[in-house]
Amino acid sequence: MSEQHEHDPAFEHPAPGFGTVRLRPLDPERDADVVHTWVSAERAAFWGMTGLTRSQVAGIYTHMATLDTHHAYLALLAHPGEKDGTPVGLLQTYDPEADRVSECYDVRPGDIGIHVLLAPAGPDGPRPGWTRALLTAFTAYVLRAPGRHRIVVDPDVRNEKAIARFRRHGFEPGPAVVLPEIDLPYVHLPEKHAQLAFLTRPVAFQDVLPDTDPR
């Protein structure tokens, strides 16, 4: 696979007032610096990688790239004339049947899970409406396939900001669950108390609630 093809955007979505959101598969080595900076920050504590080295973060995503059920994408914001864009977030998708979340709810055909990490605000500070625009691009990408009918998220129950953000975007709260610990050679995930929430296709493609969060 050529370098150009590897880093072509997998998806583009307009973000009126901001530019174009581009998603491309995460390159574990090329993107390790920016991702390590994001996940090491205190604001990303619920991501679960605080304290890991750059090499460890790259190793986790190198392993993920070998899987057919879990995928990571770097989100970039591009303005007219820009070839690439500025990194603004990380999207991970997964097949719930192949994830520990399947032990906590009845997975339906067409379900797809996501994890979302937003980059910190830039030097100009928070931009009203930006979070909504980015989540809209993410959901449009995830539900683009006709066979996908519902998105599931599982934020930590203590992550009130993320839970509120998903609810504003139309996610319906599900049960609070305990995701079991996973201890494998390449992956260790501690037990997690999570709040499940779901976004259906009809809701995703209609107007969502007003975004009052400046991020």
Side-chain angles (χ1 to χ4, degrees):
M1 183 179 293
S2 70
E3 183 73 12
Q4 180 179 357
H5 183 66
E6 284 179 354
H7 299 120
D8 281 346
F11 181 76
E12 294 189 348
H13 193 273
F18 300 101
T20 299
V21 174
R22 292 175 175 165
L23 292 177
R24 64 164 173 79
L26 185 77
D27 184 314
E29 184 57 39
R30 178 190 182 194
D31 300 323
D33 287 340
V34 65
V35 173
H36 179 250
T37 298
W38 291 347
V39 302
S40 298
E42 183 178 353
R43 63 185 293 276
F46 291 116
W47 197 254
M49 294 187 185
T50 305
L52 297 187
T53 65
R54 178 194 183 281
S55 178
Q56 288 172 318
V57 170
I60 289 171
Y61 287 107
T62 296
H63 170 66
M64 185 180 294
T66 69
L67 304 177
D68 294 328
T69 55
H70 293 64
H71 305 281
Y73 302 89
L74 188 70
L76 305 107
L77 179 64
H79 298 97
E82 282 190 303
K83 179 180 179 182
D84 296 315
T86 302
V88 291
L90 181 63
L91 172 67
Q92 293 179 197
T93 66
Y94 62 91
D95 177 357
E97 286 282 11
D99 190 87
R100 60 179 177 168
V101 74
S102 64
E103 300 183 30
C104 303
Y105 89 103
D106 293 328
V107 180
R108 298 179 185 174
D111 279 1
I112 183 168
I114 67 169
H115 299 299
V116 172
L117 180 64
L118 306 181
D124 295 331
R127 296 166 291 178
W130 166 240
T131 297
R132 174 177 175 172
L134 186 56
L135 285 180
T136 297
F138 285 171
T139 55
Y141 173 67
V142 171
L143 293 174
R144 74 198 187 286
R148 292 178 178 169
H149 304 299
R150 189 172 67 156
I151 300 173
V152 57
V153 294
D154 59 2
D156 192 292
V157 294
R158 298 167 296 172
N159 194 348
E160 297 177 356
K161 187 173 183 180
I163 293 170
R165 181 184 300 128
F166 285 126
R167 291 195 68 173
R168 285 195 303 274
H169 205 72
F171 283 78
E172 288 291 331
V177 300
V178 179
L179 303 182
E181 179 183 21
I182 300 293
D183 193 4
L184 300 172
Y186 292 100
V187 178
H188 176 259
L189 298 173
E191 181 182 270
K192 176 182 174 182
H193 292 255
Q195 173 63 61
L196 299 187
F198 303 90
L199 180 69
T200 61
R201 174 183 289 274
V203 173
F205 292 113
Q206 67 180 9
D207 290 337
V208 296
L209 297 176
D211 187 357
T212 58
D213 184 345
R215 270 295 291 153

